[in-house]
Amino acid sequence: MEGYPQSNAEEIPDGIGRPTDAILLERIGRGDQQAFSQLYLYYQPRLVKYCARVLRDDLAQAADVVDEAMFDIWRSAGSFAGRSKPSTWIYSIARNKVISWLRKTSEVGLDDESLLEALVDPAATPHEELAMNDMKQQLLRLIDQLSDEHREVLRLTYFEDLSVKEVADLLGISENTVKTRMFYARKRMAQLLDKAGITNVDL
């Protein structure tokens, strides 16, 4: 697609050390392709998962819709005024794209209840966000009681949202080692959570 910058997965690591979304959008608005690569690498897999929920798990079609959304983000980043969270703005663009695609091609009516639920705005309400932040702080305190190796893999997977492969590449260890550490880290965390009386966390 003409004018669409190419993301460079080898150049820009996802997750750790990434500038804030607002900073990236500001840079993208000035034509910074490296900033766009960072935003693309972070959000593309998340948006694909989000869109695939209403595309019958058609990941290829979801990826096409997301690429169109990311192209719109590249073109309109300079118009982001900060009236909402950057993530809300980004997800809303993807949401509009998938709704538009469904209107053109799908036999499923857009008033279908399950469809509307699947396309609900993923941004949390202030109350939900406060509860999530409180839970996150509790989890961080418990994670600090783990060994360095176990704490590291949990932080990268749960809070940086990296895949097993990404963690393995980042730490220079095998994927099997990451999985083993995750197994024992989860086992220890389950004990700590039970002791703290926290039962609504999925490990």
Side-chain angles (χ1 to χ4, degrees):
M1 199 178 287
E2 185 179 356
Y4 188 66
Q6 300 299 312
S7 63
N8 191 331
E10 295 180 355
E11 218 173 85
I12 308 295
D14 181 24
I16 296 176
R18 194 176 65 91
T20 66
D21 293 338
I23 290 175
L24 288 176
L25 288 174
E26 181 183 354
R27 292 176 181 173
I28 293 167
R30 299 197 300 265
D32 188 331
Q33 294 188 8
Q34 188 178 57
F36 177 79
S37 292
Q38 288 183 280
L39 195 80
Y40 182 95
L41 288 173
Y42 184 79
Y43 274 103
Q44 194 269 354
R46 294 161 173 80
L47 293 175
V48 167
K49 185 182 298 184
Y50 173 63
C51 293
R53 281 155 41 188
V54 292
L55 295 177
R56 298 175 182 172
D57 293 323
D58 186 341
L59 294 177
Q61 184 57 57
D64 287 344
V65 171
V66 168
D67 275 349
E68 289 186 17
M70 294 304 297
F71 181 56
D72 280 0
I73 290 167
W74 164 254
R75 291 187 304 178
S76 60
S79 67
F80 175 68
R83 287 189 289 269
S84 64
K85 292 170 58 178
S87 59
T88 300
W89 184 74
I90 290 167
Y91 271 93
S92 69
I93 291 175
R95 182 177 186 270
N96 290 337
K97 282 292 179 185
V98 78
I99 288 175
S100 176
W101 186 87
L102 286 168
R103 281 178 175 154
K104 292 176 183 176
T105 64
S106 180
E107 297 178 359
V108 178
L110 284 180
D111 59 346
D112 182 82
E113 185 177 348
S114 62
L115 175 62
L116 293 176
E117 288 178 356
L119 284 174
V120 67
D121 190 336
T125 65
H127 178 74
E128 291 170 335
E129 192 165 335
L130 183 63
M132 285 189 293
N133 286 337
D134 182 60
M135 177 60 72
K136 181 177 179 179
Q137 292 306 313
Q138 292 185 62
L139 288 175
L140 286 171
R141 284 193 292 271
L142 294 178
I143 286 175
D144 282 339
Q145 299 179 43
L146 301 177
S147 68
D148 291 342
E149 290 181 346
H150 293 166
R151 181 167 60 246
E152 192 169 38
V153 294
L154 275 185
R155 284 184 184 276
L156 291 173
T157 53
Y158 279 92
F159 296 109
E160 296 294 343
D161 203 22
L162 299 186
S163 67
V164 169
K165 185 180 186 308
E166 289 170 328
V167 173
D169 292 342
L170 183 65
L171 300 181
I173 58 179
S174 71
E175 292 184 35
N176 282 338
T177 300
V178 173
K179 292 175 183 177
T180 300
R181 291 182 184 179
M182 282 298 299
F183 173 80
Y184 287 108
R186 285 173 175 153
K187 187 175 180 180
R188 176 58 179 153
M189 274 297 292
Q191 295 172 345
L192 293 172
L193 288 166
D194 183 63
K195 185 177 179 180
I198 300 174
T199 59
N200 58 339
V201 175
D202 182 15
L203 292 174

